[in-house]
Amino acid sequence: MRPRRPPCLGAAHASLEALAVPLALAATAAVTVSATYGTDVGKLDKDLVLRAPQGGYLTLQNLHVLADHADELADLGLRGLRVDHVFDDDFYDVVEDVDRFDFSKLDSVLKPLVDNEIRPWISLSCMPGKLGPNLVGPPRDHAAWGRAVEAMVKHYAAMPAPGSRG
């Protein structure tokens, strides 16, 4: 009897099963691989590379770790930083209640980044407890969620652009 595959694997598991026979046959065949090293592909585009994913988990131990090191990150050439968990109650506690917001904790992290010419990318990946049943669930009220997103966009649209030291 064939073992049942976990439902979470679905089609990916079926694809792996389909590869099992060709891979077993390939194991007996000789293969030659060649590569050319030292090829000059031009200068490194720092704007494509010097961006940091993840502003959320880094702040689990210290909310201000990014702000405290913004100048050092900028000196390394960092151009952008994705800041996650902005609506997560355990991080920035932005949503005090439906239609009442406090951006002060998040401001204290984003302003030093912007002042050091690091563009924050704000990820709206978490649901605040006041608006949804859990951190990754849908909002109870889509209109209230829309107002929270709108309040954040309006608040940060007024923030000076990176490098303006405003």
Side-chain angles (χ1 to χ4, degrees):
M1 181 173 170
R2 188 175 187 169
R4 284 185 42 187
R5 67 175 170 245
C8 61
L9 293 178
H13 192 286
S15 296
L16 291 174
E17 287 176 343
L19 288 174
V21 171
L23 287 176
L25 293 175
T28 61
V31 176
T32 303
V33 177
S34 65
T36 304
Y37 298 95
T39 303
D40 185 4
V41 293
K43 276 183 87 172
L44 174 68
D45 183 353
K46 290 182 181 177
D47 286 330
L48 294 176
V49 178
L50 294 173
R51 301 190 190 281
Q54 200 50 269
Y57 300 113
L58 189 57
T59 61
L60 280 172
Q61 300 297 318
N62 177 0
L63 181 64
H64 297 284
V65 69
L66 298 173
D68 290 349
H69 297 284
D71 57 339
E72 295 168 72
L73 295 170
D75 288 346
L76 291 171
L78 194 69
R79 309 271 194 275
L81 179 75
R82 186 180 79 222
V83 180
D84 291 323
H85 294 267
V86 295
F87 279 128
D88 186 338
D89 300 329
D90 292 333
F91 282 84
Y92 304 107
D93 207 22
V94 169
V95 179
E96 292 182 326
D97 205 351
V98 176
D99 296 324
R100 196 171 76 234
F101 313 100
D102 178 6
F103 295 101
S104 59
K105 285 183 187 176
L106 187 55
D107 287 348
S108 70
V109 171
L110 296 184
K111 187 167 181 351
L113 297 174
V114 170
D115 287 348
N116 282 280
E117 300 184 25
I118 299 171
R119 182 175 301 276
W121 297 325
I122 299 172
S123 175
L124 307 176
S125 56
C126 296
M127 184 61 56
K130 299 277 195 251
L131 300 179
N134 59 54
L135 190 61
V136 296
R140 283 187 283 275
D141 177 348
H142 287 276
W145 170 247
R147 291 190 301 273
V149 171
E150 182 180 8
M152 182 166 288
V153 169
K154 283 182 178 178
H155 180 78
Y156 289 110
M159 182 179 266
S164 65
R165 307 253 181 220

